[in-house]
Structures are given as C-alpha cells and as structure tokens.
Amino acid sequence: MPLSPNDALYLETLRSSTKEVLQEVMGPNPQEIIYLDTPRHRNLGDSLIWLGSKQYLNDLGHRVVYHADMGRFRDDDLKKTSDSAVIVLQGGGNFGDLYPLHDEFRRYIVQQYPQRRIIMMPQSIYYSSTASLRQAIRDYRVGNRLTILLRESRSMDIANEEMPDMDVRFCYDSALGALLPERTVPARDEVLTLARTDAEAIGDSKAVRGNSVDWSWGRMNGLSWKTHIAVGAAFKRLPTLVQNAMLPVSQYANQRLLDINIKAALQQFEGSPVVATNRLHAHILSSLLGIPHIVMDNSYGKVSGIYNEYSGGFSTAYWANDWIEALNAADSILSRKQIGTRES
C-alpha cells in the first residue's frame, strides 16, 4: 500500500540526511566504488541494506566497479582497481563478535589496505567484552583513511568513549534508501508473524503462534537461489586463471542473489494487513511498504535504539515489549481493518 503523505515526507527527510552524510565523507566528485562483504546468505534484511546502499551511491553519481562477499573476495582483484577507488564495507548489525567472520573480514581489509579510503556503512556495535571491543578498535585504528558510520546513539556512545581519535559519524540505516518496485498483489487476511530464531532473539517463544516464520523465500525463489549460489561456489574452486575469466559471471550471480532476496521479501510481505516482528529490517520493510506493524527488541537493544531515534517515526509502526503484547496489538489492528473493509 502507498505511504501516507506524512510518512513519504518523513522518509525523504531521512534519505536526504543520509545522502548529505555520504557526500560529506566521499567528497563532491563521483568515485569508483569497491563494495565488500555483500550478503551471500538468506537474511533478507542484509539484502535490503545492500539495495539501499547501492541506491544512495547511484544517486550521488558513484559507480560500483567491483563487489564481493567474504568467500569470493580476492586481493588480486582489488589490487587491479585504481588506488583512488573507495572501499565501501557493508553496513548492518555485525560490528562485533556475534557474527565474528564478518567483523574479522572487515578488520582484514582495513589492515591490508591502510592507505586506501575506506568507509564502513552504518553499523551497530556489540562486543561481548570490553577486551574484545578494544582489540577490534586496535585493528581498525590501522586504517589511516577509515570512516566508520554508526546508526544509533548507543553505538555512538561506545565510539565516543573508546575511539574518540577516529573518524566516526552518525548515519541512518542504509536500508531506508531502498527503492522497491510497485506491484499489485492480493490482500491477505491474517497477521504475518516474523520471529527471528538466531542469537539475537529474546522473549517467550511459546507466545508466538504456530504459523510464525522467519525470513522465507518460496519454492521458485529457492530454486533460483540454489542455481546462482552454485555459480559462486564453483568460482571459488576454480584455478586463478579461470577465475579471472569467470569474474564477470560470478559478479552477475552475486547481483542475482540480491534480486532473488528482494523479490522473496516482497512476496512475503506484500498484501499482509499487519506484521508482528522482532527483526529490525522486517520493521523497516513494513515501513517502506506502508504496512501497519508491531515491533519488538533484539537481545542487545539495537532495534529499540533505532526505533526510538528515527525508524519509529512512521505512522505505521507500533512498539511492544513482548510477543503477547505484540500479537494482541496486531489482532486489534487486523480487526479494525476487517471492520472497515466490511463497512466500506
């Protein structure tokens, strides 16, 4: 459903602010972009971040000349690019040790290319210990031209205390920049309950109805996913000489994985009358689609921080403290919509 005029204006305000930040850190002139740590997994929220980031870069006139996930990245590919090309690292919620492979990959890039201009797209910080945080900061401090963007005040407070000498700035979550295709889909008549099942989940899972799901893809999207993921898997096993010839094919497959994930996310959400979720980007996707939705927190307060600062500013967003409260609110919204439909 279309956004209300007020929500559309609010979204444009958030997008304009993000573009101002990105233009400030990248400079006024168009740049060649090396985009690293692209999502090669089925967390559709990370694909929404990548889509939004690409849109912002495109709007500002920058051109992505090379992109790679952790597994398909090769130092030789990066060394073939211009020294002036800007390295952009994927944003999200993995600046920490909950998802150590992503954090280790970013630290590797910063340490290997300390003289390169590197920008980390908006992240949230969470380390299980101060010692782990400070070791990560020592690694990141090697980057002489590194800018770190953070997407909520809790992370900014950590940065101000632990790395006051580094270039760290606030920026809204990149997923808000995603432009989604308009489609006409049949209306549904039940709440979409999307519950995360990973290390960030909290609360009483028994309160979640049996028809709850996490991010899902559908059969055809799943088959297409397997086809394109196989291309990347084969690329990784090829000899270097063959990899060089196959690089455009691997890049295309990587792009197709993004398209498949976005398509799957839209199919999962479009037509839903109301959503209840504890995933940040299910909340953001609902906001972009104009779907009324109930939002809950994750394990370390990432969702509540972002919700309270800016993403909760959409008229379609409502907060709940647990699943029981969320499902009751969702049922109430659904009942009102059903009554309104019958009366019209």
Side-chain angles (χ1 to χ4, degrees):
M1 60 187 72
L3 296 183
S4 70
N6 286 342
D7 282 350
L9 180 61
Y10 181 60
L11 177 59
E12 185 53 39
T13 299
L14 298 178
R15 287 172 170 170
S16 295
S17 175
T18 301
K19 290 177 188 177
E20 288 177 8
V21 174
L22 292 177
Q23 188 162 36
E24 184 177 328
V25 300
M26 290 187 177
N29 299 320
Q31 305 286 342
E32 290 188 340
I33 303 295
I34 300 161
Y35 196 103
L36 301 181
D37 197 17
T38 58
R40 192 175 182 268
H41 49 253
R42 293 186 168 188
N43 183 328
L44 307 187
D46 286 337
S47 292
L48 200 65
I49 290 173
W50 186 20
L51 182 65
S53 298
K54 286 180 58 182
Q55 187 62 53
Y56 283 132
L57 294 171
N58 182 67
D59 288 348
L60 294 172
H62 306 303
R63 184 169 66 93
V64 177
V65 296
Y66 174 78
H67 55 82
D69 64 276
M70 294 185 297
R72 258 95 336 235
F73 168 76
R74 302 183 305 170
D75 286 292
D76 286 346
D77 292 333
L78 195 149
K79 290 173 183 175
K80 293 174 184 175
T81 63
S82 169
D83 289 341
S84 64
V86 179
I87 298 175
V88 174
L89 300 171
Q90 165 87 347
N94 49 46
F95 189 153
D97 51 15
L98 273 177
Y99 309 98
L101 292 179
H102 295 277
D103 197 41
E104 290 166 9
F105 176 71
R106 284 193 302 271
R107 287 151 71 173
Y108 169 82
I109 294 297
V110 171
Q111 291 180 301
Q112 284 293 108
Y113 304 97
Q115 302 304 323
R116 287 266 200 164
R117 183 72 176 104
I118 302 176
I119 297 171
M120 186 187 301
M121 296 298 277
Q123 277 278 359
S124 291
I125 301 176
Y126 177 78
Y127 287 89
S128 57
S129 70
T130 301
S132 297
L133 168 64
R134 289 177 177 169
Q135 178 57 58
I137 292 172
R138 283 193 289 272
D139 292 342
Y140 283 122
R141 190 170 272 121
V142 173
N144 295 322
R145 302 175 64 201
L146 170 66
T147 295
I148 297 174
L149 303 179
L150 299 175
R151 60 185 182 176
E152 29 83 16
S153 293
R154 181 194 58 81
S155 293
M156 286 296 298
D157 290 341
I158 294 172
N160 289 334
E161 181 174 346
E162 298 290 343
M163 41 182 147
D165 56 320
M166 298 176 67
D167 185 11
V168 179
R169 313 185 192 200
F170 177 85
C171 186
Y172 297 126
D173 188 283
S174 299
L176 289 162
L179 296 183
L180 302 172
E182 293 186 9
R183 305 192 314 165
T184 302
V185 296
R188 305 171 194 173
D189 60 359
E190 63 180 11
V191 175
L192 171 59
T193 307
L194 193 146
R196 71 185 313 147
T197 56
D198 58 13
E200 294 185 48
I202 56 173
D204 184 6
S205 60
K206 294 179 181 178
V208 184
R209 296 190 181 110
N211 64 346
S212 68
V213 296
D214 204 336
W215 294 117
S216 61
W217 300 268
R219 184 172 179 274
M220 294 306 297
N221 289 323
L223 291 173
S224 185
W225 170 274
K226 290 178 180 178
T227 299
H228 289 88
I229 209 80
V231 173
F235 174 84
K236 191 174 180 181
R237 297 186 181 96
L238 293 171
T240 300
L241 188 63
V242 183
Q243 282 187 341
N244 291 336
M246 289 290 291
L247 181 59
V249 178
S250 177
Q251 297 255 288
Y252 173 77
N254 201 21
Q255 174 63 47
R256 283 292 297 133
L257 292 176
L258 169 64
D259 298 338
I260 293 164
N261 271 0
I262 295 300
K263 179 181 177 182
L266 293 175
Q267 288 177 343
Q268 187 173 7
F269 275 67
E270 287 178 318
S272 297
V274 59
V275 174
T277 187
N278 56 0
R279 277 200 176 275
L280 172 64
H281 289 100
H283 152 50
I284 288 180
L285 180 58
S286 298
S287 298
L288 294 175
L289 294 173
I291 300 173
H293 58 286
I294 320 300
V295 191
M296 289 153 287
D297 215 350
N298 72 317
S299 60
Y300 62 92
K302 168 184 72 180
V303 180
S304 59
I306 293 173
Y307 180 94
N308 290 329
E309 289 182 50
Y310 55 92
S311 65
F314 292 93
S315 66
T316 52
Y318 304 86
W319 186 257
N321 294 309
D322 54 48
W323 277 107
I324 294 176
E325 182 181 340
L327 294 175
N328 287 338
D331 283 339
S332 177
I333 292 173
L334 180 60
S335 296
R336 291 199 301 270
K337 291 177 72 71
Q338 290 172 336
I339 290 171
T341 300
R342 289 197 296 269
E343 288 179 347
S344 61

